[in-house]
């Protein structure tokens, strides 16, 4: 098989059966967890229906954690072994993680409006979450601006590894800076936290499946799709180059 | 095929079991009487006599009732009178022996006390909610004693003692002053610390919460005033209305779905663009080879 044919078959390869199954499972799982959070979990009588946003808000952050974690892993292995596949995984992690982080940030702001009476406040947790989103948005912009593929992959691997500091900071900032109004559901809430609620068994029952889904199935499935897209993009680019080169 | 069917059935059964377990848990977790108008804590150890729209708890040993409902009226007094007429059949109620206002976190409440016969009094807290009033009533039916509950804004909110308000309540409702009673001590109750005073025929207790004093007065045969006062204060402090903020929930879900759809859509859009590029390349290749 010629190089050109290999590229062409890569660019037009059909979706693997496992990926198709994962996509169906992730879609069904998402719908089921939505039903659990919206209709099965009890209404928080103090916060009202808006508390149910929590069943998306918190799992979305952990979904972003998985995806950004994959970026770190991809970056490290790329730097070690120079395999382009791991660079694709790193890129997929950033795109999917950023979407999840935006869901986390925006659902938090929507919840805050009726509970804190404001869409936004420069609280340590909120600020670090916004910085995290901007850090990964900058990753995509920077990546698009570097022409040399080798240099781009190397630089973005290093960037992706260091960018994870913003994720860890967002996760742990309420333990480092306790002067926050952001509630903590698992463990003791900070003294000034507003909008806390108890992690009762009903809450845990609706939260756990959602957390598992966003931690594993959703980021893995979406990242796989994005990986395939990157693979196709590279194959088409290679074909274009070949064509231009005669 | 058969195995796929079995798997689907198993998955559905699991989902149903999960839903049922969640629903039962949610039912067991609520120590509140919940209605569309208000929520009120269910008093532990009291008989729950609640019905649709009425939260009512009865303490048989003290013969005391704490009841919460919504009533229509042009003001707090007429709403309280309407509820008492409907509940106890009291018509032609005299003016309250005590009437005051307190500004709590959720609005202005009217504290009213009515003496309904020689031995009984009714204490009411009422607040406007829409075109009706929330009416929370305390009634002690023991003819041997008269118990009244009042909530009074502190005259000096720098003080952390309810003594000035106990003195003022005693003067308005009895022939006594605080000096006529002896301090018994402080009782630490779940709702806060209560300062207790006892006289020959009267018992007074008070607790400060925020800038208000919660006062309980009892004349006649002494009963468990502290427990009654704590139940009353616990009811008032535990009262709240669940806000209807569901539009924010739907907005949050819509935004989440939109972001996920945008991400998935961008994958599809980019894949299609690549497919077009590929078709174009193949066309060019075949043109080249020709």
């Amino acid at each position: 098989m010629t190089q050109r044919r290999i590229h062409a078959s890569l660019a037009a390869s059909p979706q693997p059966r496992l990926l198709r199954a994962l996509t169906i499972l992730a879609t069904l799982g998402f719908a089921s967890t939505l039903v659990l959070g919206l209709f099965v979990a009890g209404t928080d009588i103090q916060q009202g229906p808006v508390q149910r946003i929590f069943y998306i808000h918190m799992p979305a952050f952990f979904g972003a954690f998985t995806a950004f974690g994959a970026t770190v892993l991809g970056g490290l292995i790329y730097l070690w072994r120079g395999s382009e596949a791991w660079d694709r995984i790193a890129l997929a992690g950033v795109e999917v993680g950023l979407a999840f982080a935006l869901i986390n940030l925006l659902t938090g702001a929507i919840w805050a409006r009726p509970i804190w009476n404001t869409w936004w406040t420069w609280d340590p947790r909120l600020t670090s979450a916004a910085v995290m989103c901007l850090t990964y948005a900058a990753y995509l912009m920077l990546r698009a601006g570097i022409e040399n593929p080798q240099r781009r992959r190397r630089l973005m691997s290093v960037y992706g590894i260091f960018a994870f500091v913003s994720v860890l900071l967002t996760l742990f900032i309420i333990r480092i800076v306790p002067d926050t109004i952001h509630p903590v559901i698992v463990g003791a809430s900070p003294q000034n936290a507003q909008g806390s609620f108890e992690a009762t068994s009903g809450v845990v029952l609706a939260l756990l499946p959602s957390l598992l889904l966003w931690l594993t199935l959703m980021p893995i499935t979406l990242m796989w799709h994005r990986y395939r897209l990157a693979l196709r993009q590279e194959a088409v680019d290679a074909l274009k180059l070949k064509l231009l080169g005669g | 095929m058969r195995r796929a069917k079995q798997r689907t059935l198993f998955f559905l059964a699991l989902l149903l079991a999960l839903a049922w377990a969640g629903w039962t848990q949610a039912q067991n977790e609520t120590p509140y009487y919940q209605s569309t108008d208000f929520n009120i804590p269910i008093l532990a150890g009291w008989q729950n006599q609640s019905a649709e729209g009425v939260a009512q708890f009865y303490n048989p040993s003290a013969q005391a009732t704490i009841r919460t409902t919504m009533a229509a009226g042009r003001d707090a007094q007429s709403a309280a009178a309407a509820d008492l007429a409907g509940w106890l059949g009291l018509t032609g109620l005299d003016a309250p022996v005590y009437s005051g206002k307190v500004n709590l976190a959720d609005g202005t409440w009217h504290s009213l006390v009515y003496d309904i016969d020689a031995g009984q009094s009714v204490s009411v807290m009422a607040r406007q909610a829409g075109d009706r009033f929330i009416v929370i009533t305390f009634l002690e039916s023991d003819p041997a004693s008269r118990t009244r509950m009042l909530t009074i804004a502190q005259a000096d909110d720098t003080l952390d003692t309810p003594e000035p308000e106990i003195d003022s309540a005693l003067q308005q409702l009895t022939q006594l002053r605080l000096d006529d009673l002896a301090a018994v001590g402080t009782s630490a109750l779940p709702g806060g610390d209560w300062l207790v005073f006892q006289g020959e025929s009267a018992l007074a207790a008070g607790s400060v919460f925020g800038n208000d004093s919660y006062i309980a007065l009892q004349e006649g045969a002494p009963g468990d005033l502290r427990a009654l006062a704590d139940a009353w204060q616990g009811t008032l402090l535990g009262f709240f209305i669940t806000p209807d903020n569901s539009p924010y929930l739907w907005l949050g879900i819509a935004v989440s779905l939109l972001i996920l759809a945008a991400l998935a859509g961008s994958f599809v859009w980019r894949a299609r663009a690549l497919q077009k590029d590929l078709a174009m390349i193949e066309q060019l290749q075949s043109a080249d080879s020709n």
Side-chain angles (χ1 to χ4, degrees), chain B residues 24-43:
Chain B
T24 356
Q25 280 295 332
Q27 301 307 303
N28 296 338
E29 276 162 12
T30 330
Y32 276 85
Y33 168 90
Q34 293 176 49
S35 73
T36 49
D37 295 314
F38 58 83
N39 301 284
I40 207 102
I42 292 170
L43 295 172

Side-chain angles (χ1 to χ4, degrees), chain A residues 67-78 90 136 157 160-165:
Chain A
F68 294 146
T71 300
V72 174
L73 192 71
L76 283 171
I77 299 180
Y78 175 78
Y136 283 99
S157 294
I161 294 163
F162 282 104
F164 198 68
V165 172

Side-chain angles (χ1 to χ4, degrees), chain A:
Chain A
M1 196 184 270
T2 64
Q3 191 78 357
R4 195 172 285 180
R5 277 188 181 280
I6 292 167
H7 285 305
S9 67
L10 265 177
S13 64
Q15 206 175 83
R17 283 175 70 179
L18 181 61
L19 179 58
R20 209 174 300 165
L22 282 179
T23 308
I24 293 167
L25 266 178
T27 312
L28 281 177
F30 181 70
S32 307
T33 54
L34 217 52
V35 168
L36 274 178
L38 286 177
F39 304 108
V40 177
T43 307
D44 187 278
I45 50 176
Q46 286 186 323
Q47 290 190 27
V50 79
Q51 180 271 340
R52 294 176 191 275
I53 279 187
F54 168 75
Y55 300 116
I56 293 179
H57 172 74
M58 186 186 168
F61 175 80
F62 283 101
F65 186 90
T66 302
F68 294 146
T71 300
V72 174
L73 192 71
L76 283 171
I77 299 180
Y78 175 78
L79 290 176
W80 176 38
R81 298 180 63 176
S83 159
E84 289 169 16
W86 287 99
D87 176 65
R88 285 183 214 115
I89 289 174
L91 171 63
V94 172
E95 268 196 28
V96 172
L98 184 60
F100 286 3
L102 280 174
I103 290 174
N104 170 259
L105 198 69
L106 291 175
T107 51
I110 291 164
W111 170 84
R113 182 66 185 88
I115 302 298
W116 290 347
N117 201 28
T118 180
W119 295 100
W120 185 261
T121 174
W122 293 104
D123 176 84
R125 172 53 84 76
L126 274 67
T127 309
S128 66
V131 167
M132 179 182 79
C133 285
L134 290 173
T135 305
Y136 283 99
Y139 174 105
L140 293 175
M141 286 192 274
L142 194 63
R143 190 175 177 110
I146 303 172
E147 287 290 329
N148 185 313
Q150 291 287 338
R151 202 163 160 252
R152 180 174 60 218
R153 290 184 188 121
R154 236 185 2 258
L155 197 74
M156 296 327 292
S157 294
V158 175
Y159 187 109
I161 294 163
F162 282 104
F164 198 68
V165 172
S166 68
V167 182
L168 295 176
L169 192 71
T170 305
L171 188 63
F172 294 114
I173 197 151
I174 44 175
R175 319 278 175 188
I176 306 163
V177 186
D179 186 22
T180 173
I181 60 168
H182 192 283
V184 174
I185 305 307
V186 181
S189 252
Q191 197 183 353
N192 300 328
Q194 290 173 31
S196 295
F197 55 90
E198 210 182 327
T200 59
S201 48
V203 169
V204 173
L205 200 78
L207 179 65
L208 267 183
S210 187
L211 206 54
L212 278 174
L213 180 88
W214 285 78
L215 257 173
T216 55
L217 206 55
M218 279 180 61
I220 289 169
T221 308
L222 285 166
M223 279 170 61
W224 192 347
H225 279 292
R226 182 61 186 90
Y227 177 92
R228 278 173 45 80
L229 191 67
L231 200 65
R232 280 176 152 191
Q233 177 77 60
E234 284 169 21
V236 169
D237 286 348
L239 281 172
K240 279 180 188 169
L241 272 176
K242 286 257 174 196
L243 199 69
L244 287 171

Side-chain angles (χ1 to χ4, degrees), chain B residues 20 70 86 98 125 135 146 149 217 228 234 273 278:
Chain B
W20 181 80
M70 302 290 291
Y98 174 83
M125 284 287 278
V135 180
R146 180 194 290 280
M149 302 289 181
L217 301 178
L228 293 179
L278 192 66

Side-chain angles (χ1 to χ4, degrees), chain B residues 32-235:
Chain B
Y32 276 85
Y33 168 90
Q34 293 176 49
S35 73
T36 49
D37 295 314
F38 58 83
N39 301 284
I40 207 102
I42 292 170
L43 295 172
W46 291 51
Q47 286 176 9
N48 191 346
Q49 301 176 335
S50 303
E52 184 67 37
V54 180
Q56 188 166 306
F57 307 99
Y58 179 65
N59 183 331
S61 59
Q63 297 180 49
T65 304
I66 294 177
R67 169 188 160 95
T68 307
T69 191
M70 302 290 291
R74 59 184 186 283
D75 55 24
Q77 286 193 27
S78 61
D83 179 45
L84 290 172
W87 176 31
L88 300 171
L90 292 172
T91 49
L93 207 63
D94 289 337
V97 290
Y98 174 83
S99 171
K101 281 184 194 175
V102 275
N103 291 315
L104 302 182
D106 58 350
T108 302
W109 286 81
H110 297 258
S111 178
L112 307 164
V113 177
Y114 296 92
D115 287 345
I116 54 174
D117 67 23
Q120 286 183 17
S121 292
V122 176
S123 307
V124 175
M125 284 287 278
R127 172 172 82 77
Q128 191 155 14
D131 56 352
R132 292 187 295 166
F133 281 80
I134 302 145
V135 180
I136 308 177
T137 311
F138 174 87
L139 168 73
E140 196 219 45
S141 318
D142 185 357
S145 66
R146 180 194 290 280
T147 306
R148 301 172 175 119
M149 302 289 181
L150 301 89
T151 307
I152 306 174
Q154 279 192 293
D156 179 357
D157 59 23
T158 58
L159 296 177
D160 58 358
T161 172
E163 284 176 57
E165 286 72 43
I166 294 177
D167 188 36
S168 156
L170 281 168
Q171 285 186 57
Q172 285 186 62
L173 297 171
T174 67
Q175 305 299 316
L176 300 166
R177 298 203 58 155
L178 187 59
D179 293 342
D180 301 327
L181 278 67
V184 176
T186 304
S187 290
L189 295 171
D193 289 343
W194 286 78
L195 214 53
V196 185
F197 297 86
Q198 188 156 23
E200 274 182 27
S201 61
L203 200 59
S207 174
V208 173
F209 187 89
N211 296 331
D212 304 293
S213 291
Y214 292 79
I215 310 294
L217 301 178
Q218 194 168 53
E219 291 177 278
D224 194 354
L225 182 65
R226 277 163 274 211
L228 293 179
D230 191 56
W232 175 245
Q233 192 199 28
T235 302

